[in-house]
């Protein structure tokens, strides 16, 4: 009789374990393939969204139009119905803001940024002095580095208190002939500045936007609508943190304490005073006076803007104290036919990194890394005021970074780029 071979009972357990291990391995391989596929799809979506963002940015930077108010366009990038972008552009003070929302199917990504332009040829020198048929005199340790646009009367060494010019060369660059007026500015940007100042004086407009906020901290995204805050009477900003798309209007004096933390905020008032020790990023726009006290630091991209009223006959003033550092644009604006024009004064040991544009009189005690444009220079001593004299200052165009981007305020700009990413 043939004997049947018997298996031990543990064999079944081993078989079940092996089957279970094989099932786990197979499931793991399937899951691995699934997640790998998901990762590839995610990477593809990320790649498409990034491409859409880059395409939209290139469209924004290629556009030469200055959009004062909000302009929004929706584009189907490749005419396939899957890739689209919503592009919004507008002015924020002197600078332009681009807001891009890119879509691929049901996925989206957003980017918001300030963008600007390289300086035009007329600002490629260190100095532009309008031609009023008067020479420019240099005294003591004054240093000009870069080309200079001057009147036909040219450049010469001068004397103050029996002290002459300290160097062998008057300028490290070429001398070119300037025009009777300073280089023209964009009507869209200057018009926007006038509109903002007009809000302070037009009570009919401000009635609909009065918003009194007592919060110590406010953040307003540039992807949202601007937050407009109107204040009546003398206003002091202190012990507060304001960040983003916020405009503070005042119909009187606006004072900024050193305890205020401001970033990318616009300040608009007839008179603005920034107190000693303040640090932040602001665009300050005033009619009558704009004063920055000693040891203040305004980070890039900041701007100080003095816009004279057409009906004003007295000279308005923009004063920057000693030991300040300002990165951006300092500018005074008035009519070309205004006899009194505007006055800008800058203290010693102050550094301006960017552009100074003075329609009127500039008392330059600061060193400028960039370029200076003005109708007249003046230099004050305790007993005498000298016209078109520079003493103990440096204007150095070559030290200005090649990546510096300015406002569309200046006509003739070409190459555009992203100035700063914002939230």
């Amino acid at each position: 009789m043939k004997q049947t071979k018997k298996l031990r009972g543990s064999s079944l357990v081993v078989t079940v374990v092996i089957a279970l291990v094989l099932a786990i391995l197979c499931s793991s391989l399937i899951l691995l393939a699934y997640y790998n596929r998901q990762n590839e799809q995610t990477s593809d979506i990320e790649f498409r969204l990034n491409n859409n963002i880059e395409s939209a940015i290139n469209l924004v930077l290629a556009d030469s139009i200055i959009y004062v108010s909000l302009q929004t366009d929706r584009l189907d990038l490749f005419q396939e119905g899957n890739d689209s972008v919503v592009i919004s552009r507008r002015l924020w003070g002197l600078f332009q803001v681009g807001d891009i929302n890119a879509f691929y199917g049901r996925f989206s990504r957003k980017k918001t940024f300030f963008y600007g332009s390289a300086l035009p040829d007329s600002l490629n020198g260190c100095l532009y002095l309008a031609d009023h048929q008067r020479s420019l005199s240099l005294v003591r340790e004054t240093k000009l580095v870069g080309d200079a646009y001057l009147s036909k009367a040219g450049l010469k060494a001068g004397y103050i208190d029996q002290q002459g010019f300290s160097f062998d060369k008057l300028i490290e660059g070429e001398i070119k002939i300037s025009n009777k007026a300073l280089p023209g500015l964009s009507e869209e940007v200057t018009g926007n500045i006038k509109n903002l100042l007009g809000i302070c004086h037009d009570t009919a407009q401000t009635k609909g936007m009065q918003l009194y906020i007592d919060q110590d901290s406010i953040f307003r995204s540039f992807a949202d609508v601007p937050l407009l805050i109107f204040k009546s009477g003398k206003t002091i900003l202190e012990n507060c943190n304001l960040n983003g798309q916020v405009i503070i209007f005042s119909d009187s004096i606006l004072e900024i304490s050193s305890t205020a933390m401001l970033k990318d905020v616009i300040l608009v008032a007839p008179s603005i005073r920034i107190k000693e020790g303040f640090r932040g990023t602001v665009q300050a726009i005033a009619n009558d006076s704009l004063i920055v006290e000693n040891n203040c630091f305004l980070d890039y991209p900041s701007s100080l803007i003095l816009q004279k009223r057409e009906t004003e006959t007295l000279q308005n003033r923009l004063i920057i104290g000693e030991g300040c550092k300002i990165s951006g644009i300092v500018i005074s604006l008035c009519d070309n036919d205004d006899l009194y024009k505007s006055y800008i004064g800058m203290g010693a040991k102050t550094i301006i990194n960017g552009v100074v544009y003075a329609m009127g009189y500039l008392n330059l005690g600061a060193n400028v890394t960039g370029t200076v444009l003005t109708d007249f220079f003046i230099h004050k001593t305790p007993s005498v005021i000298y016209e078109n004299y520079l003493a103990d200052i440096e204007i150095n165009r070559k030290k200005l970074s090649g990546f510096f981007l300015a406002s569309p305020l200046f006509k003739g700009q070409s190459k555009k780029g992203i100035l700063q990413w914002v939230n």
Side-chain angles (χ1 to χ4, degrees), residues 198-387:
I199 292 175
C200 295
H201 307 288
D202 190 342
T203 55
Q205 290 189 54
T206 57
K207 283 181 181 177
M209 67 173 65
Q210 289 189 19
L211 185 58
Y212 299 92
I213 294 182
D214 297 325
Q215 294 173 309
D216 293 334
S217 181
I218 298 174
F219 170 75
R220 189 72 160 194
S221 171
F222 279 93
D224 206 339
V225 295
L227 176 60
L228 308 179
I229 302 174
F230 182 80
K231 296 289 187 179
S232 184
K234 182 177 180 179
T235 300
I236 300 175
L237 294 182
E238 59 185 352
N239 300 315
C240 61
N241 186 346
L242 306 179
N243 188 331
Q245 197 173 196
V246 179
I247 306 179
I248 308 292
F249 292 99
S250 173
D251 60 3
S252 182
I253 299 172
L254 182 57
E255 189 173 287
I256 313 303
S257 169
S258 61
T259 61
M261 299 176 64
L262 308 181
K263 181 173 173 56
D264 300 326
V265 172
I266 294 178
L267 310 171
V268 188
S271 297
I272 298 175
R273 178 180 288 269
I274 300 176
K275 301 293 287 184
E276 182 171 358
F278 171 81
R279 179 158 199 164
T281 309
V282 298
Q283 296 187 69
I285 306 170
N287 281 130
D288 302 328
S289 65
L290 205 171
I291 298 173
V292 180
E293 295 186 356
N294 298 340
N295 302 313
C296 290
F297 293 83
L298 302 184
D299 299 321
Y300 181 74
S302 289
S303 59
L304 300 174
I305 307 153
L306 186 68
Q307 170 70 63
K308 191 173 185 179
R309 295 190 188 98
E310 294 179 0
T311 57
E312 183 61 67
T313 56
L314 298 177
Q315 192 177 71
N316 56 353
R317 300 166 70 84
L318 193 164
I319 306 296
I320 301 173
E322 297 184 355
C324 298
K325 185 171 182 180
I326 298 171
S327 296
I329 298 171
V330 178
I331 184 168
S332 67
L333 303 171
C334 63
D335 288 340
N336 281 321
D337 298 330
D338 190 326
L339 293 177
Y340 300 99
K341 295 187 178 289
S342 297
Y343 172 86
I344 296 181
M346 300 183 182
K349 298 181 181 179
T350 284
I351 298 174
I352 309 295
N353 184 57
V355 179
V356 178
Y357 186 105
M359 293 186 72
Y361 299 87
L362 175 58
N363 184 5
L364 186 64
N367 292 329
V368 179
T369 301
T371 186
V372 175
L373 304 92
T374 187
D375 283 296
F376 303 97
F377 286 107
I378 61 173
H379 178 77
K380 294 182 178 181
T381 68
S383 57
V384 182
I385 296 177
Y386 296 86
E387 185 177 288

Side-chain angles (χ1 to χ4, degrees), residues 21-37:
V21 170
L22 290 174
I24 293 173
L25 288 174
C26 291
S27 299
S28 299
L29 289 173
I30 293 171
L31 284 173
L32 182 62
Y34 171 77
Y35 285 119
N36 185 59
R37 177 60 179 166

Side-chain angles (χ1 to χ4, degrees), residues 116-177:
S117 304
L119 294 173
D121 292 342
S122 60
L123 276 71
N124 276 340
C126 66
L127 178 62
Y128 193 108
L129 181 63
D131 185 0
H132 296 290
Q133 300 179 358
R134 299 170 191 178
S135 62
L136 176 64
S137 299
L138 307 184
V139 182
R140 296 194 291 262
E141 296 187 5
T142 296
K143 192 172 184 180
L144 302 180
V145 181
D147 297 342
Y149 293 82
L150 304 171
S151 72
K152 295 181 179 68
L155 194 64
K156 66 180 183 180
Y159 290 87
I160 293 178
D161 297 333
Q162 298 181 345
Q163 293 179 313
F165 184 63
S166 301
F167 303 113
D168 296 328
K169 293 179 65 176
L170 289 171
I171 185 171
E172 297 180 23
E174 297 182 10
I175 295 178
K176 303 178 181 181
I177 304 302

Side-chain angles (χ1 to χ4, degrees), residues 48-62 70-75 77 84-90 97-103 108-115 221-224 418 421-423:
R48 294 292 290 265
L49 287 174
N50 287 334
N51 270 356
N52 294 346
I53 288 282
E54 290 297 324
S55 297
I57 289 174
N58 290 333
L59 288 172
V60 170
L61 299 182
L70 181 65
Q71 171 70 27
T72 301
D73 298 311
R74 188 180 186 104
L75 305 174
L77 289 176
S84 62
V85 290
V86 176
I87 302 174
S88 299
R89 290 148 292 181
R90 64 197 178 281
V97 180
D99 181 63
I100 295 173
N101 209 340
F103 299 91
S108 65
R109 175 166 294 173
K110 181 181 285 289
K111 286 283 188 180
T112 308
F113 54 91
F114 290 167
Y115 62 102
S221 171
F222 279 93
D224 206 339
I418 294 174
W421 297 104
V422 294
N423 294 320

